[in-house]
Amino acid sequence: QKEVEQDPGPLSVPEGAIVSLNCTYSNSAFQYFMWYRQYSRKGPELLMYTYSSGNKEDGRFTAQVDKSSKYISLFIRDSQPSDSATYLCAMKAYNQGGKLIFGQGTELSVKP
Amino acid sequence: EAQVTQNPRYLITVTGKKLTVTCSQNMNHEYMSWYRQDPGLGLRQIYYSMNVEVTDKGDVPEGYKVSRKEKRNFPLILESPSPNQTSLYFCASSLNSGGTYNEQFFGPGTRLTVL
């Protein structure tokens, strides 16, 4: 079983839709939770970062962490064609230095 | 501009021909790492370095070597490439590898094909 599981999609939605992306994990030591966005032929870029449980909002993006369920989510409101990309969840434990564990990535396409 | 650069961006080679992929960062970061990205498997760490002359294996180190002689550079060496090393490779760096999270900045990627 992978430490981090993410539905690879692909996911296709119409412009303006609310998008929900999710990851589950098995390692209870994870404390830092990230969402990276990766455009085609580019490297991943940090989109959202959350420490421990709770919600974090940044514009149209909301990240949620539920440590009791070992489940994290990224919501995109009013999705735009420019949101079309692969979204990767990543996690880190306090005692693992700089090591990030990534999900498989979800490919999202937002149609005009 | 703060960035991580990789070269080459694309490489096609043959089995057994040694190659080096270079990685350089201009942010004075202590921590650097190499990942490979394969469909359905996400990003997997190959090797990492916490500082100059300090390197260690990640999750998939077989067939790879690294060195860290200068803080800014972290080359990835494939001494005898094989077809199963065909992949998309990313170099990343962060300020340090301390207990809390430090954002990792990724390079643009190197697409390697081994025939």
Side-chain angles (χ1 to χ4, degrees), chain A residues 17-76:
Chain A
I18 296 174
V19 176
S20 172
L21 304 169
N22 311 295
C23 288
T24 59
Y25 62 95
S26 57
N27 187 347
S28 57
F30 288 146
Q31 291 184 307
Y32 304 93
F33 304 92
M34 285 68 70
W35 286 95
Y36 280 81
R37 179 172 61 194
Q38 184 178 16
Y39 290 114
S40 181
R41 303 188 203 287
K42 302 282 189 184
E45 296 176 304
L46 182 67
L47 184 61
M48 299 280 287
Y49 154 64
T50 308
Y51 170 67
S52 195
S53 283
N55 293 0
K56 188 171 186 177
E57 190 172 319
D58 184 1
R60 296 184 294 109
F61 299 89
T62 300
Q64 286 186 351
V65 175
D66 182 348
K67 291 190 74 179
S68 62
S69 301
K70 295 190 178 68
Y71 188 88
I72 72 170
S73 300
L74 177 71
F75 297 96
I76 307 174

Side-chain angles (χ1 to χ4, degrees), chain B residues 7-8 11 17-23 34 74-78:
Chain B
N7 282 292
L11 180 59
K17 186 175 181 181
K18 182 180 178 179
L19 66 92
T20 300
V21 184
T22 64
C23 171
W34 276 103
F74 189 45
L76 179 70
I77 302 157
L78 285 73

